[in-house]
């Protein structure tokens, strides 16, 4: 509680500070001025009288304009850089906020589904989602603020850049004019000095003997001196004019143009820097707002007067009552509890008890000696109806008289025969042959009382449901039925058992080492086969419980289905075509030849082969884990898909493997992956 009170006090202080920060600085009308005023509180502007001699010397020198232009360019670049930062941050915040809102919507919908917990958990979990939704709204508002700041700062930097270009052209043009005037002045001075020296030499030299050759003929010294004098006067006049022009332009530059440009660029620098600083202050303020708003969402202040008080995240989570939720859930099923059922007992269906095997009240009696010679008389011994004695193939020794369905037991007719006499009864003597012998002698025979066969009760479990189910024919056979017949009966080009097995291995067996190479449980394979042969619609291998969590048994079941086909998947009619294609050494030619043969397969064979090949390709793509590459898979499926009958096919085992290996290595060249 002390920590909570401390947090409340710090939150109150943060609200107070945030209010002060957001004062007049965030008003749109005087935003820049207010920012400058706040900035001056911390860093007052330097007046021109307070400038140091070094700064004053720079501003009055010829490099002042270029120096200020470089500084203004830096300010514009910094403003643009921060504007780009604001834009990227705004994008990130908006993506985060929108993603959080999307997550809240999906979580809210998922929490309402019946497969999730209800009760106090669902109620308070929705409140947790609402807290995050409010935080997402804060993030969206923060992103809008940053985007507006980006646009304002970008426009501000663009305006300053236009001013910089204007004063760059104006100031540098004035500097260039002065430099050009001074350059022309220097050239005029050089010309003037050169002509003055020539005139001085001509004036002080020998005027009688010296002759100068001109364009119009030779000139005398006097004529040459006179020409030089005129040129010197013209150069002097030009030089004087150039000096006056340079002086006037420099005076104009120093007195008006340069100070004006310097003042304008200083203002632009201050304006750009102040705008950037204002946006930085707003950025700090909005970050404080976001942090405070999210903090108030997670842990609101106590005693808020706005009437919209929300519980804190901690309080919401601590209100989840797991015990009450479990109690309410179990209580909701009380009306669905069924009354206790009666005792479990076995009831055999009447259809499974043939009438000819139902015994009468008479007892079946047999002699205890090996040399069985039945004698018949009209005594009081029990009669054996002719219909009771089965005729047909001999019953195996394991199926003795006491295991025949419908046989009843009765105590021996005489006390001289003990149960040990059953051990002396010859196992080679079958009940059916004895019955046949009796039928050949008398239509209504009676067994002598001196040779009474002791009866015993049937052993427990002799007529279990498992033994009966294996003896009954399948209701809707799948194994051992041709693909054409399955297509006509079920209407699917790919048998259901193939689809289920491929799906199970794709979901649970791609990373099982030795899949299709290691054998599963034979008992599991037998049970799965019985399930498909009787009620395949009830099988769903997406649930591993349906195949006993034994994916290797599913792989074995798939191979068993292909082995039991009357005509192999690659068909006897196309067998030699596949073998001849496998004998081709060139990989491309062998692939194309196999492709052509595959295209000629019947429709159900082609569709099933395509599904199987695409599946085995997914298996070999995981060979780094399951150790089953294309060659290993070809060894497992070669004889299975092409037939493993005796005869010349045995010598083709290597070519069969090569056929499957080539198909797997060129899966997407032979089949599309739609």
């Amino acid at each position: 509680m002390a920590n909570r009170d401390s947090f409340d006090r710090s939150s109150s202080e943060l609200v107070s500070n945030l209010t002060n920060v957001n004062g007049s600085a965030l008003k749109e009308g005087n935003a820049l001025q207010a920012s400058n005023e706040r900035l001056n509180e911390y860093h007052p502007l330097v007046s021109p009288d307070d400038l140091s001699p070094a700064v004053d010397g720079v501003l009055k020198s010829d490099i002042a304009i270029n120096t200020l232009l470089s500084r203004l360019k830096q300010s514009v670049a910094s403003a643009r850089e921060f504007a780009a930062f604001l834009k990227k941050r705004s994008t990130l915040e908006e993506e985060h906020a929108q993603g959080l809102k999307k997550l809240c919507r999906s979580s809210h919908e998922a929490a309402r589904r019946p497969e999730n917990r209800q009760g106090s958990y669902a109620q308070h979990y929705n409140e947790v989602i609402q807290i995050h939704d409010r935080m997402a709204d804060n993030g969206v508002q923060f992103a809008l603020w940053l985007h507006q700041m980006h646009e304002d700062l970008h426009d501000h930097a663009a305006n300053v850049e236009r001013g910089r270009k204007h004063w760059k052209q104006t100031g540098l043009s004035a500097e260039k004019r002065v430099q050009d005037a001074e350059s022309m002045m220097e050239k005029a001075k050089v010309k003037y000095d050169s002509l003055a020296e020539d005139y001085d030499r001509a004036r002080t030299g020998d005027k009688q003997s010296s002759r100068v050759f001109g364009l119009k003929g030779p000139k005398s010294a006097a004529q040459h001196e006179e020409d030089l004098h005129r040129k010197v006067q013209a150069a002097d006049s030009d030089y004087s004019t150039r000096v006056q022009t340079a002086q006037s332009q420099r005076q104009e530059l120093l007195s008006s143009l340069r100070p004006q440009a310097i003042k304008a660029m200083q203002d632009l620098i201050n304006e750009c820097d102040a705008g950037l600083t204002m946006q930085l202050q707003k950025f700090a303020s909005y970050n404080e707002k976001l942090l405070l708003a999210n903090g108030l969402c997670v842990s609101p202040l106590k005693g808020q007067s706005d009437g919209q008080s929300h519980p804190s995240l901690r309080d919401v989570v601590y209100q989840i009552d797991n015990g009450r939720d479990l109690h309410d859930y179990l209580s909701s099923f009380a009306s669905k509890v069924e009354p206790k059922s009666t005792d479990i007992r076995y009831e055999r269906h009447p259809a499974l008890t043939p009438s000819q095997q139902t015994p009468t009240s008479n007892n079946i009696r047999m002699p205890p000696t090996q040399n069985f010679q039945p004698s018949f008389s009209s005594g009081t011994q029990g009669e054996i109806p002719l219909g009771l004695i089965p005729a047909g193939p001999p019953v195996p020794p394991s199926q003795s008289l006491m295991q025949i369905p419908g046989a009843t037991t009765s105590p021996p007719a005489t006390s001289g025969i003990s149960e040990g006499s059953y051990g002396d009864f010859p196992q080679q003597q079958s009940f059916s042959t004895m019955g046949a012998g009796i039928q050949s002698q008398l239509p209504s025979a009676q067994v002598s009382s001196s040779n009474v066969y002791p009866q015993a009760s049937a052993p427990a479990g002799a007529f279990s449901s498992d033994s009966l189910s294996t003896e009954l024919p399948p209701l809707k056979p799948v194994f051992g039925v041709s693909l054409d017949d399955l297509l006509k009966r079920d209407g699917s080009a790919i048998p259901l058992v193939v689809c289920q097995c491929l799906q199970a291995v794709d979901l649970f067996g791609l990373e099982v080492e030795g899949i299709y190479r290691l054998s599963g449980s034979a008992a599991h394979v037998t049970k799965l086969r019985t399930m498909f042969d009787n009620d395949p619609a009830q099988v769903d291998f997406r649930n591993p419980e349906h195949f006993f969590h034994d994916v290797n048994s599913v792989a074995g079941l798939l191979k068993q289905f292909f082995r039991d086909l009357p005509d192999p998947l690659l068909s006897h009619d196309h067998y030699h075509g596949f073998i001849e294609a496998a004998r081709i050494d060139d990989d491309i030619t062998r692939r194309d030849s196999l492709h052509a043969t595959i295209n000629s397969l019947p429709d159900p064979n082609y569709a099933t082969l395509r599904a199987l090949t695409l599946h085995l390709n997914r298996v070999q793509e995981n060979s780094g884990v399951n150790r089953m590459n294309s060659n290993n898979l070809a060894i497992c499926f070669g004889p299975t898909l092409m037939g493993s009958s005796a005869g010349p096919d045995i010598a083709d085992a290597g070519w069969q493997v090569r056929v499957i290996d080539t198909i797997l290595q060129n899966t997407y060249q032979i089949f599309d992956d739609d």
Side-chain angles (χ1 to χ4, degrees), residues 229-250:
H229 181 68
R230 287 197 305 271
K231 291 180 180 180
V232 168
Q233 289 180 345
D236 180 66
S237 176
D238 182 64
Y239 173 56
S240 176
T241 302
R242 297 292 183 182
V243 169
Q244 292 177 0
T245 302
Q247 288 176 349
S248 63
Q249 290 186 357
R250 174 169 284 278

PDB file of all heavy atoms in Angstrom, residues 229-250:
ATOM      1  N   HIS A 229      51.853  59.152 -74.569  1.00  0.00           N
ATOM      2  CA  HIS A 229      51.244  60.109 -73.653  1.00  0.00           C
ATOM      3  C   HIS A 229      49.722  60.028 -73.715  1.00  0.00           C
ATOM      4  O   HIS A 229      49.035  60.069 -72.678  1.00  0.00           O
ATOM      5  CB  HIS A 229      51.737  61.528 -73.983  1.00  0.00           C
ATOM      6  CG  HIS A 229      51.174  62.568 -73.074  1.00  0.00           C
ATOM      7  ND1 HIS A 229      51.478  62.667 -71.736  1.00  0.00           N
ATOM      8  CD2 HIS A 229      50.287  63.595 -73.337  1.00  0.00           C
ATOM      9  CE1 HIS A 229      50.822  63.676 -71.196  1.00  0.00           C
ATOM     10  NE2 HIS A 229      50.086  64.277 -72.184  1.00  0.00           N
ATOM     11  N   ARG A 230      49.180  59.896 -74.942  1.00  0.00           N
ATOM     12  CA  ARG A 230      47.734  59.772 -75.064  1.00  0.00           C
ATOM     13  C   ARG A 230      47.224  58.486 -74.402  1.00  0.00           C
ATOM     14  O   ARG A 230      46.190  58.471 -73.723  1.00  0.00           O
ATOM     15  CB  ARG A 230      47.338  59.782 -76.550  1.00  0.00           C
ATOM     16  CG  ARG A 230      47.467  61.164 -77.195  1.00  0.00           C
ATOM     17  CD  ARG A 230      46.686  61.191 -78.510  1.00  0.00           C
ATOM     18  NE  ARG A 230      47.110  60.124 -79.404  1.00  0.00           N
ATOM     19  CZ  ARG A 230      48.116  60.250 -80.289  1.00  0.00           C
ATOM     20  NH1 ARG A 230      48.778  61.370 -80.379  1.00  0.00           N
ATOM     21  NH2 ARG A 230      48.435  59.224 -81.058  1.00  0.00           N
ATOM     22  N   LYS A 231      47.940  57.414 -74.585  1.00  0.00           N
ATOM     23  CA  LYS A 231      47.517  56.127 -73.992  1.00  0.00           C
ATOM     24  C   LYS A 231      47.571  56.176 -72.471  1.00  0.00           C
ATOM     25  O   LYS A 231      46.704  55.622 -71.771  1.00  0.00           O
ATOM     26  CB  LYS A 231      48.389  54.986 -74.496  1.00  0.00           C
ATOM     27  CG  LYS A 231      48.181  54.678 -75.975  1.00  0.00           C
ATOM     28  CD  LYS A 231      49.075  53.528 -76.420  1.00  0.00           C
ATOM     29  CE  LYS A 231      48.866  53.209 -77.907  1.00  0.00           C
ATOM     30  NZ  LYS A 231      49.724  52.098 -78.355  1.00  0.00           N
ATOM     31  N   VAL A 232      48.598  56.839 -71.946  1.00  0.00           N
ATOM     32  CA  VAL A 232      48.711  56.942 -70.490  1.00  0.00           C
ATOM     33  C   VAL A 232      47.560  57.745 -69.923  1.00  0.00           C
ATOM     34  O   VAL A 232      46.987  57.410 -68.876  1.00  0.00           O
ATOM     35  CB  VAL A 232      50.060  57.560 -70.100  1.00  0.00           C
ATOM     36  CG1 VAL A 232      50.079  57.937 -68.615  1.00  0.00           C
ATOM     37  CG2 VAL A 232      51.187  56.601 -70.394  1.00  0.00           C
ATOM     38  N   GLN A 233      47.178  58.796 -70.616  1.00  0.00           N
ATOM     39  CA  GLN A 233      46.055  59.597 -70.137  1.00  0.00           C
ATOM     40  C   GLN A 233      44.751  58.789 -70.155  1.00  0.00           C
ATOM     41  O   GLN A 233      43.942  58.864 -69.215  1.00  0.00           O
ATOM     42  CB  GLN A 233      45.923  60.847 -71.003  1.00  0.00           C
ATOM     43  CG  GLN A 233      47.038  61.865 -70.779  1.00  0.00           C
ATOM     44  CD  GLN A 233      46.870  63.102 -71.661  1.00  0.00           C
ATOM     45  OE1 GLN A 233      46.089  63.105 -72.632  1.00  0.00           O
ATOM     46  NE2 GLN A 233      47.621  64.149 -71.322  1.00  0.00           N
ATOM     47  N   ALA A 234      44.539  58.021 -71.246  1.00  0.00           N
ATOM     48  CA  ALA A 234      43.314  57.204 -71.316  1.00  0.00           C
ATOM     49  C   ALA A 234      43.300  56.129 -70.215  1.00  0.00           C
ATOM     50  O   ALA A 234      42.272  55.874 -69.565  1.00  0.00           O
ATOM     51  CB  ALA A 234      43.194  56.535 -72.696  1.00  0.00           C
ATOM     52  N   ALA A 235      44.481  55.475 -69.981  1.00  0.00           N
ATOM     53  CA  ALA A 235      44.560  54.451 -68.933  1.00  0.00           C
ATOM     54  C   ALA A 235      44.357  55.067 -67.565  1.00  0.00           C
ATOM     55  O   ALA A 235      43.720  54.467 -66.671  1.00  0.00           O
ATOM     56  CB  ALA A 235      45.911  53.733 -68.997  1.00  0.00           C
ATOM     57  N   ASP A 236      44.874  56.259 -67.386  1.00  0.00           N
ATOM     58  CA  ASP A 236      44.695  56.923 -66.103  1.00  0.00           C
ATOM     59  C   ASP A 236      43.223  57.228 -65.849  1.00  0.00           C
ATOM     60  O   ASP A 236      42.715  57.042 -64.732  1.00  0.00           O
ATOM     61  CB  ASP A 236      45.534  58.203 -66.080  1.00  0.00           C
ATOM     62  CG  ASP A 236      45.385  58.949 -64.762  1.00  0.00           C
ATOM     63  OD1 ASP A 236      45.832  58.398 -63.717  1.00  0.00           O
ATOM     64  OD2 ASP A 236      44.765  60.023 -64.766  1.00  0.00           O
ATOM     65  N   SER A 237      42.547  57.696 -66.895  1.00  0.00           N
ATOM     66  CA  SER A 237      41.122  57.988 -66.746  1.00  0.00           C
ATOM     67  C   SER A 237      40.324  56.710 -66.445  1.00  0.00           C
ATOM     68  O   SER A 237      39.447  56.700 -65.558  1.00  0.00           O
ATOM     69  CB  SER A 237      40.600  58.647 -68.026  1.00  0.00           C
ATOM     70  OG  SER A 237      39.209  58.856 -67.935  1.00  0.00           O
ATOM     71  N   ASP A 238      40.628  55.613 -67.154  1.00  0.00           N
ATOM     72  CA  ASP A 238      39.916  54.339 -66.919  1.00  0.00           C
ATOM     73  C   ASP A 238      40.194  53.800 -65.518  1.00  0.00           C
ATOM     74  O   ASP A 238      39.281  53.324 -64.819  1.00  0.00           O
ATOM     75  CB  ASP A 238      40.336  53.325 -67.971  1.00  0.00           C
ATOM     76  CG  ASP A 238      39.607  52.012 -67.809  1.00  0.00           C
ATOM     77  OD1 ASP A 238      38.364  51.975 -67.963  1.00  0.00           O
ATOM     78  OD2 ASP A 238      40.282  50.983 -67.502  1.00  0.00           O
ATOM     79  N   TYR A 239      41.448  53.902 -65.108  1.00  0.00           N
ATOM     80  CA  TYR A 239      41.823  53.417 -63.780  1.00  0.00           C
ATOM     81  C   TYR A 239      41.106  54.192 -62.692  1.00  0.00           C
ATOM     82  O   TYR A 239      40.593  53.622 -61.708  1.00  0.00           O
ATOM     83  CB  TYR A 239      43.335  53.511 -63.623  1.00  0.00           C
ATOM     84  CG  TYR A 239      43.827  53.186 -62.233  1.00  0.00           C
ATOM     85  CD1 TYR A 239      43.533  51.975 -61.610  1.00  0.00           C
ATOM     86  CD2 TYR A 239      44.590  54.126 -61.528  1.00  0.00           C
ATOM     87  CE1 TYR A 239      43.992  51.702 -60.336  1.00  0.00           C
ATOM     88  CE2 TYR A 239      45.054  53.849 -60.258  1.00  0.00           C
ATOM     89  CZ  TYR A 239      44.744  52.625 -59.655  1.00  0.00           C
ATOM     90  OH  TYR A 239      45.195  52.374 -58.389  1.00  0.00           O
ATOM     91  N   SER A 240      41.013  55.516 -62.869  1.00  0.00           N
ATOM     92  CA  SER A 240      40.339  56.344 -61.886  1.00  0.00           C
ATOM     93  C   SER A 240      38.847  55.995 -61.802  1.00  0.00           C
ATOM     94  O   SER A 240      38.266  55.922 -60.713  1.00  0.00           O
ATOM     95  CB  SER A 240      40.511  57.822 -62.257  1.00  0.00           C
ATOM     96  OG  SER A 240      39.785  58.640 -61.381  1.00  0.00           O
ATOM     97  N   THR A 241      38.234  55.726 -62.979  1.00  0.00           N
ATOM     98  CA  THR A 241      36.811  55.363 -62.988  1.00  0.00           C
ATOM     99  C   THR A 241      36.584  54.030 -62.279  1.00  0.00           C
ATOM    100  O   THR A 241      35.630  53.858 -61.506  1.00  0.00           O
ATOM    101  CB  THR A 241      36.305  55.288 -64.434  1.00  0.00           C
ATOM    102  OG1 THR A 241      36.527  56.558 -65.078  1.00  0.00           O
ATOM    103  CG2 THR A 241      34.828  54.937 -64.472  1.00  0.00           C
ATOM    104  N   ARG A 242      37.477  53.084 -62.547  1.00  0.00           N
ATOM    105  CA  ARG A 242      37.332  51.760 -61.914  1.00  0.00           C
ATOM    106  C   ARG A 242      37.457  51.854 -60.402  1.00  0.00           C
ATOM    107  O   ARG A 242      36.748  51.164 -59.646  1.00  0.00           O
ATOM    108  CB  ARG A 242      38.408  50.812 -62.455  1.00  0.00           C
ATOM    109  CG  ARG A 242      38.317  50.526 -63.942  1.00  0.00           C
ATOM    110  CD  ARG A 242      37.090  49.714 -64.277  1.00  0.00           C
ATOM    111  NE  ARG A 242      37.045  49.389 -65.694  1.00  0.00           N
ATOM    112  CZ  ARG A 242      36.056  48.725 -66.270  1.00  0.00           C
ATOM    113  NH1 ARG A 242      35.008  48.345 -65.548  1.00  0.00           N
ATOM    114  NH2 ARG A 242      36.084  48.480 -67.576  1.00  0.00           N
ATOM    115  N   VAL A 243      38.346  52.699 -59.946  1.00  0.00           N
ATOM    116  CA  VAL A 243      38.526  52.850 -58.509  1.00  0.00           C
ATOM    117  C   VAL A 243      37.279  53.444 -57.870  1.00  0.00           C
ATOM    118  O   VAL A 243      36.825  53.004 -56.808  1.00  0.00           O
ATOM    119  CB  VAL A 243      39.761  53.713 -58.217  1.00  0.00           C
ATOM    120  CG1 VAL A 243      39.821  54.099 -56.737  1.00  0.00           C
ATOM    121  CG2 VAL A 243      41.030  52.985 -58.619  1.00  0.00           C
ATOM    122  N   GLN A 244      36.711  54.442 -58.530  1.00  0.00           N
ATOM    123  CA  GLN A 244      35.507  55.044 -57.976  1.00  0.00           C
ATOM    124  C   GLN A 244      34.338  54.045 -57.932  1.00  0.00           C
ATOM    125  O   GLN A 244      33.576  53.998 -56.963  1.00  0.00           O
ATOM    126  CB  GLN A 244      35.123  56.266 -58.820  1.00  0.00           C
ATOM    127  CG  GLN A 244      36.113  57.418 -58.704  1.00  0.00           C
ATOM    128  CD  GLN A 244      35.743  58.583 -59.610  1.00  0.00           C
ATOM    129  OE1 GLN A 244      34.732  58.527 -60.325  1.00  0.00           O
ATOM    130  NE2 GLN A 244      36.566  59.636 -59.596  1.00  0.00           N
ATOM    131  N   THR A 245      34.237  53.252 -59.011  1.00  0.00           N
ATOM    132  CA  THR A 245      33.157  52.256 -59.034  1.00  0.00           C
ATOM    133  C   THR A 245      33.329  51.218 -57.924  1.00  0.00           C
ATOM    134  O   THR A 245      32.370  50.856 -57.217  1.00  0.00           O
ATOM    135  CB  THR A 245      33.125  51.549 -60.401  1.00  0.00           C
ATOM    136  OG1 THR A 245      32.948  52.529 -61.436  1.00  0.00           O
ATOM    137  CG2 THR A 245      32.008  50.519 -60.456  1.00  0.00           C
ATOM    138  N   ALA A 246      34.539  50.709 -57.752  1.00  0.00           N
ATOM    139  CA  ALA A 246      34.788  49.718 -56.711  1.00  0.00           C
ATOM    140  C   ALA A 246      34.529  50.299 -55.332  1.00  0.00           C
ATOM    141  O   ALA A 246      33.964  49.631 -54.435  1.00  0.00           O
ATOM    142  CB  ALA A 246      36.222  49.200 -56.809  1.00  0.00           C
ATOM    143  N   GLN A 247      34.932  51.559 -55.156  1.00  0.00           N
ATOM    144  CA  GLN A 247      34.714  52.185 -53.853  1.00  0.00           C
ATOM    145  C   GLN A 247      33.224  52.342 -53.547  1.00  0.00           C
ATOM    146  O   GLN A 247      32.768  52.081 -52.424  1.00  0.00           O
ATOM    147  CB  GLN A 247      35.412  53.544 -53.816  1.00  0.00           C
ATOM    148  CG  GLN A 247      36.938  53.450 -53.749  1.00  0.00           C
ATOM    149  CD  GLN A 247      37.593  54.829 -53.812  1.00  0.00           C
ATOM    150  OE1 GLN A 247      36.913  55.835 -54.109  1.00  0.00           O
ATOM    151  NE2 GLN A 247      38.892  54.880 -53.546  1.00  0.00           N
ATOM    152  N   SER A 248      32.456  52.735 -54.547  1.00  0.00           N
ATOM    153  CA  SER A 248      31.023  52.938 -54.314  1.00  0.00           C
ATOM    154  C   SER A 248      30.300  51.611 -54.019  1.00  0.00           C
ATOM    155  O   SER A 248      29.445  51.531 -53.121  1.00  0.00           O
ATOM    156  CB  SER A 248      30.392  53.641 -55.517  1.00  0.00           C
ATOM    157  OG  SER A 248      30.497  52.825 -56.685  1.00  0.00           O
ATOM    158  N   GLN A 249      30.678  50.566 -54.789  1.00  0.00           N
ATOM    159  CA  GLN A 249      30.028  49.275 -54.564  1.00  0.00           C
ATOM    160  C   GLN A 249      30.418  48.665 -53.223  1.00  0.00           C
ATOM    161  O   GLN A 249      29.584  48.073 -52.523  1.00  0.00           O
ATOM    162  CB  GLN A 249      30.374  48.312 -55.706  1.00  0.00           C
ATOM    163  CG  GLN A 249      29.728  48.697 -57.037  1.00  0.00           C
ATOM    164  CD  GLN A 249      29.969  47.667 -58.113  1.00  0.00           C
ATOM    165  OE1 GLN A 249      30.670  46.678 -57.895  1.00  0.00           O
ATOM    166  NE2 GLN A 249      29.393  47.893 -59.301  1.00  0.00           N
ATOM    167  N   ARG A 250      31.674  48.795 -52.850  1.00  0.00           N
ATOM    168  CA  ARG A 250      32.074  48.284 -51.537  1.00  0.00           C
ATOM    169  C   ARG A 250      31.388  49.059 -50.429  1.00  0.00           C
ATOM    170  O   ARG A 250      30.974  48.467 -49.412  1.00  0.00           O
ATOM    171  CB  ARG A 250      33.592  48.341 -51.395  1.00  0.00           C
ATOM    172  CG  ARG A 250      34.093  47.957 -49.995  1.00  0.00           C
ATOM    173  CD  ARG A 250      35.579  47.768 -49.985  1.00  0.00           C
ATOM    174  NE  ARG A 250      35.928  46.498 -50.593  1.00  0.00           N
ATOM    175  CZ  ARG A 250      35.896  45.319 -49.959  1.00  0.00           C
ATOM    176  NH1 ARG A 250      35.495  45.277 -48.697  1.00  0.00           N
ATOM    177  NH2 ARG A 250      36.231  44.222 -50.564  1.00  0.00           N
TER     178      ARG A 250
END
